[in-house]
Amino acid sequence: MGAALTLLGGVLAAAPPAVSAPVAAGASAETLAPTPPMGFNNWNAFGCDVSEALIRETADVLVSSGLAELGYEYVNIDDCWSMRERGPDGRLVPDPVKFPNGIAGLADYVHGKGLKLGIYGDAGTRTCAGYPGSLGKEDIDAQTWADWGVDYLKYDNCHNQSDGSQADFVRRYTAMREALDRTGRPIVYAICEWGQSRPWEWAHDVGDLWRTTGDISDNWPSLRSIIAQNAPLHPYAGPGNWNDPDMLEIGNGGMTATEYRTHLSMWAMMAAPLLIGTDLRTASPDTLAILGNREVVAIDQDRLGVQAAVLEDRDGLMVLDKPLADGDRAIALYNSTDALATVDVEASATGLPAAGAYQLRDVWTGQVRQAGTTISAAVPAHGTVVYRVRALDDPGSTAPLVTAGAALGTLVPGAEGGTLTTTATNRGAGPIHHVEVSVRAPQGWSVVTTSPADQSELAPDASLSTTWTVTAPEGTAAGAHPITVTADYMWGPHHTPGSTTSELVTTVVTAPPDGRRHLGTLEPVRAAGARGPVEVDLSVGGAAEGDGSLITIGGRVHTRGLGTAAPSEIVYYLGGRCSSLTTDVGLDDAATAAVPAAFTVLADDEVVASAENVLAGQAPRTLVADLTGATWLRLVATGSGPAPDGTVVNDSADWAAPVLTCGDVSPDDPVLPVERTLVSFESGTEDWTIANPGDGGTMARSSAFHTDGEYGLQVDTPLSGNWFGRVLPEPLDLSGFSALRFDVRGGATSGTTGEIAVQVGPDLSWCQGGRWAWTGAGASRTVSAAFAEIECPAGVQLDLTQIRALWVFLNGGDRVHIDNVRAAEE
């Protein structure tokens, strides 16, 4: 459905907390980052695959592409750049294979290009990938980096040995601040503690910028979650002190062009650092065009250094207002929903001066329009419209702002058509004439108007609403399909022709295919919870995507399921093809509610299974729902809150191991997607060994954590880590599978890195994934490596019929538990 958001005469959002004015970090009076830092960091695109050649070639492209001219000046090296151990003098040692000329030689090259070099460190005993950390070594490391000519430090938070208090975070990060100051070299200091200790409250006199969230991922839920967390922190930013919502994913392929434009738009509005995280050497023209948008970058780099205030944040729509040094305002209209939405804000609710009209320049299209009282846009799903706005004395010579909004529900191929509603609205200072709305749908679709689609005149702020019947033909594929809505009109004394177009993306649903499958592998039509997103195969942790642990109910751990915060609702289209749903339900063991919850399964609004009075700590309850003939399936969790002390509680309500059965199947058919357990530790350690015995580590079977059977593997990890696994007596044939997985629970006081490797062929060639998944202390998750991402030495192919050994990497110097090493289909 479409949506509208209007601010009438004032700001509806809660007032931000009062804070002291930010001050420049460090002992020097110089502001090292008067505007948000811009540049490149290798981690998002390359992980540990960093090298001197990559950094040199990226520096070359920054200059040749013109990005350096825009301000992208820092070329930053992330984790995995050093040797695993320090040198005899206690100093960090660059990996001589990756960096044959050392960091100092690389810095000389980068500086010669007119750019600056960044490095990575960690406020713990080890980095996230297990390399030497700087805890207790701050002075020698700071001086080493200064001696090399480093200009920027990203300082991470893994293996931090922390008691979790804010005081400890302040102590650890201040220690490096003071060490950097003692070197006398100006080094921008980026605090990367993931927002755990609310650094925006204390880091303004410690760092130049500070991470406010966990790591970003190249997908829409991650981007949406990070925007929601960082946008409200606008009172804490200012010249030399920046909220950092993490690096850019633009160009890495996991999002649409619309979503990537939102990425840069919202980072610019939030005065965020702009650190490119894609391979610039192979970047497409479209990627370079987004990153190189001068008007958007100018908003980010505006010398006032003000992060945009959130004027409104409701129902997935957000309005932001950012003052600019020349007196203009940047106004962003952001739509995080899955449908086209009209977003409005009255000019009087912003920081704009009172005026009869306003000039609006769209910083993505370059289009200039005039508006009277209301700034508005029909914003596509996941999109953001950013206007640069100023008062306008004479609007008569500027085309008016006209919006074309639309709303259409879910369509079923071949079924009775859905109702499309279009709304053309004149936001200009004068009337428009001869307004006519048209709709273009995909070829073969039927679009029939059921009310007038034209009008002779629209006064300022008046609208023309039209209804249509839209039918998708039989055989239309499930998924998103575009529908274009156009409003044509005449404006001004000479009846100049004008036009505005919006794209509505409608969802076509089809029934699930035959088979028994984990429900979380199907895309819901709608999913919403009280706190954070509905999680797949995890419980809900907080507001961010993927911040929970494996679903655990009454001590039983599940690797499949849907985690929600009640009240919640998840809706699926079945089309009358499915027969049953079986699921366990309960409040997650992480829940704190002392009040009961209820779980209800509805088939076409009829209750077909339910569990009442479910309390935290109870064993899961099993529900079996008859779905025969049902068109729609709804899963509803309710009842959490208020607690006895009067607070409202939205606790973790889990649907564990939900299996949907559709079509003509046998009860003996496997649940899809198929997984094959390779190691379950039910009979002991199953001949697992340690790849590098001299690096330490021990193993023993344990019942303390298990996701398959009754036992798992307890691993006492060395601080710097080791590989645990075994060489197989016979080659393993994993053809037909696409990934390897294992389940892990971090130690009580320290998290662990998780990684997967295999050995293949008669020579036992070592092939390894490039992503080091982090699991925090006490948390649990599934670590996965797709075979497509596992890299082998030059000349070696990953032959899935000749897997000769399985290995997992763990570290942290703590007791970690793992279980259920398996091959999986995707």
Side-chain angles (χ1 to χ4, degrees):
M1 297 292 292
L5 174 65
T6 305
L7 276 69
L8 299 174
V11 176
L12 302 181
V19 294
S20 58
V23 298
S28 171
E30 178 185 7
T31 300
L32 295 183
T35 59
M38 297 174 61
F40 167 87
N41 179 290
N42 67 272
W43 183 258
N44 286 352
F46 298 94
C48 274
D49 190 17
V50 63
S51 67
E52 179 178 320
L54 169 64
I55 300 302
R56 281 176 173 254
E57 291 165 9
T58 299
D60 294 343
V61 176
L62 284 172
V63 174
S64 63
S65 67
L67 290 172
E69 179 188 348
L70 286 181
Y72 290 98
E73 63 175 340
Y74 290 98
V75 193
N76 294 347
I77 304 165
D78 212 283
D79 205 351
C80 313
W81 59 268
S82 75
M83 297 295 287
R84 288 281 181 182
E85 301 297 335
R86 293 174 177 270
D89 58 359
R91 290 180 177 267
L92 296 167
V93 180
D95 186 322
V97 175
K98 295 179 178 179
F99 297 92
N101 292 297
I103 303 301
L106 180 56
D108 289 343
Y109 183 86
V110 170
H111 293 156
K113 291 283 182 177
L115 304 173
K116 297 177 180 179
L117 184 73
I119 203 76
Y120 169 97
D122 190 281
T125 52
R126 289 279 165 176
T127 72
C128 295
Y131 294 82
S134 297
L135 186 64
K137 308 282 187 182
E138 291 86 1
D139 277 309
I140 191 171
D141 290 353
Q143 190 60 56
T144 298
W145 294 323
D147 292 345
W148 289 343
V150 165
D151 306 293
Y152 183 110
L153 171 64
K154 173 184 173 182
Y155 203 45
D156 218 335
N157 191 38
C158 289
H159 306 296
N160 54 40
Q161 312 302 307
S162 174
D163 60 10
S165 67
Q166 190 180 80
D168 173 75
F169 280 73
V170 173
R171 177 188 60 78
R172 286 185 294 114
Y173 282 93
T174 299
M176 181 53 76
R177 167 78 274 160
E178 293 172 347
L180 291 172
D181 289 344
R182 282 191 286 271
T183 69
R185 181 176 179 80
I187 297 176
V188 170
Y189 185 29
I191 294 173
C192 182
E193 57 86 87
W194 323 318
Q196 285 195 338
S197 69
R198 301 176 63 84
W200 48 90
E201 295 180 344
W202 56 265
H204 56 274
D205 56 357
V206 178
D208 301 291
L209 57 152
W210 47 82
R211 278 277 295 279
T212 58
T213 70
D215 288 356
I216 194 171
S217 298
D218 186 23
N219 58 71
W220 171 248
S222 175
L223 181 62
R224 177 185 60 202
S225 172
I226 285 178
I227 292 170
Q229 294 174 76
N230 190 75
L233 301 177
H234 54 86
Y236 301 95
N241 297 270
W242 308 108
N243 293 314
D244 178 10
D246 206 5
M247 299 169 289
L248 301 175
E249 291 280 8
I250 296 163
N252 286 334
M255 288 185 270
T256 66
T258 295
E259 290 162 349
Y260 282 142
R261 285 191 291 270
T262 283
H263 195 348
L264 193 70
S265 296
M266 293 300 284
W267 262 233
M269 292 298 295
M270 297 186 297
L274 302 181
L275 294 175
I276 297 167
T278 194
D279 187 350
L280 286 172
R281 302 170 303 177
T282 59
S284 69
D286 288 345
T287 293
L288 293 175
I290 293 173
L291 293 169
N293 185 307
R294 290 179 177 272
E295 294 190 59
V296 179
V297 169
I299 291 172
D300 179 80
Q301 295 291 296
D302 186 80
R303 68 177 184 273
L304 282 187
V306 176
Q307 179 173 332
V310 179
L311 299 186
E312 180 63 70
D313 182 7
R314 186 178 62 206
D315 300 329
L317 308 178
M318 187 182 291
V319 176
L320 298 96
D321 177 15
K322 177 180 170 72
L324 303 175
D326 66 352
D328 289 357
R329 312 286 294 195
I331 305 294
L333 308 175
Y334 162 59
N335 173 18
S336 71
T337 75
D338 297 331
L340 178 72
T342 299
V343 187
D344 302 323
V345 57
E346 288 200 353
S348 60
T350 73
L352 287 164
Y358 298 89
Q359 175 186 290
L360 282 60
R361 178 178 176 85
D362 186 318
V363 299
W364 284 105
T365 67
Q367 188 179 73
V368 177
R369 293 290 183 263
Q370 55 88 1
T373 62
T374 304
I375 297 166
S376 178
V379 186
H382 306 177
T384 303
V385 170
V386 181
Y387 293 127
R388 191 166 185 132
V389 187
R390 64 181 59 175
L392 184 63
D393 293 331
D394 179 16
S397 61
T398 305
L401 175 66
V402 178
T403 63
L408 176 62
T410 300
L411 299 179
V412 177
E416 182 178 348
T419 298
L420 167 68
T421 302
T422 61
T423 305
T425 303
N426 174 24
R427 293 300 186 186
I432 58 175
H433 302 87
H434 306 298
V435 182
E436 183 174 358
V437 177
S438 59
V439 175
R440 187 174 72 250
Q443 186 174 3
W445 289 37
S446 170
V447 180
V448 179
T449 181
T450 56
S451 70
D454 56 14
Q455 190 163 318
S456 60
E457 180 178 299
L458 278 182
D461 296 324
S463 298
L464 166 64
S465 292
T466 306
T467 57
W468 318 68
T469 297
V470 179
T471 304
E474 193 76 46
T476 302
H481 295 265
I483 293 177
T484 302
V485 178
T486 300
D488 294 303
Y489 53 91
M490 301 288 185
W491 66 276
H494 304 293
H495 280 205
T496 305
S499 181
T500 186
T501 298
S502 297
E503 183 176 88
L504 168 71
V505 177
T506 189
T507 301
V508 172
V509 294
T510 57
D514 290 354
R516 302 171 63 231
R517 57 183 21 87
H518 293 291
L519 189 60
T521 64
L522 298 176
E523 190 69 26
V525 175
R526 185 172 67 254
R531 182 189 73 245
V534 171
E535 300 278 15
V536 176
D537 301 336
L538 292 173
S539 65
V540 170
E545 189 87 12
D547 62 357
S549 289
L550 293 174
I551 290 172
T552 307
I553 305 174
R556 181 179 175 187
V557 182
H558 300 264
T559 61
R560 292 284 188 177
L562 298 167
T564 79
S568 62
E569 180 185 62
I570 313 171
V571 180
Y572 295 90
Y573 175 71
L574 304 182
R577 296 198 67 257
C578 301
S579 58
S580 68
L581 172 75
T582 301
T583 182
D584 285 349
V585 298
L587 289 178
D588 198 89
D589 285 2
T592 58
V595 294
F599 295 81
T600 307
V601 181
L602 299 101
D604 292 340
D605 296 325
E606 178 184 351
V607 176
V608 289
S610 64
E612 306 289 336
N613 199 37
V614 179
L615 294 172
Q618 290 181 339
R621 301 192 201 178
T622 299
L623 301 181
V624 179
D626 183 357
L627 305 177
T628 304
T631 302
W632 297 95
L633 167 65
R634 283 199 298 142
L635 306 182
V636 178
T638 58
S640 287
D645 64 359
T647 59
V648 175
V649 178
N650 296 312
D651 252 318
S652 299
D654 296 336
W655 303 83
V659 175
L660 181 69
T661 300
C662 301
D664 185 14
V665 296
S666 165
D668 297 328
D669 287 349
V671 178
L672 304 173
V674 174
E675 293 189 338
R676 175 183 171 188
T677 299
L678 306 176
V679 186
S680 65
F681 306 109
E682 290 302 296
S683 61
T685 61
E686 302 194 16
D687 298 326
W688 269 38
T689 185
I690 301 173
N692 305 298
D695 291 343
T698 62
M699 298 174 295
R701 188 177 70 153
S702 170
S703 61
F705 173 81
H706 52 87
T707 57
D708 186 27
E710 300 298 325
Y711 292 92
L713 186 69
Q714 170 187 299
V715 182
D716 289 314
T717 64
L719 192 62
S720 58
N722 213 329
W723 290 93
F724 301 86
R726 66 170 298 198
V727 176
L728 304 168
E730 298 292 337
L732 188 62
D733 185 354
L734 297 182
S735 54
F737 293 95
S738 58
L740 287 173
R741 295 176 176 167
F742 72 97
D743 306 316
V744 60
R745 185 178 71 186
T749 60
S750 178
T752 183
T753 298
E755 173 65 301
I756 295 174
V758 297
Q759 289 178 274
V760 297
D763 296 331
L764 295 178
S765 297
W766 186 276
C767 302
Q768 181 178 326
R771 293 288 184 179
W772 299 76
W774 173 255
T775 302
S780 60
R781 66 181 55 249
T782 297
V783 176
S784 182
F787 288 128
E789 298 174 343
I790 292 178
E791 296 184 355
C792 297
V796 176
Q797 289 189 338
L798 182 59
D799 185 348
L800 296 183
T801 68
Q802 293 291 317
I803 303 297
R804 302 300 301 267
L806 301 170
W807 300 98
V808 303
F809 184 86
L810 303 165
N811 67 358
D814 201 352
R815 178 162 292 177
V816 174
H817 292 85
I818 67 169
D819 194 21
N820 198 14
V821 182
R822 58 200 184 276
E825 295 179 348
E826 294 290 347

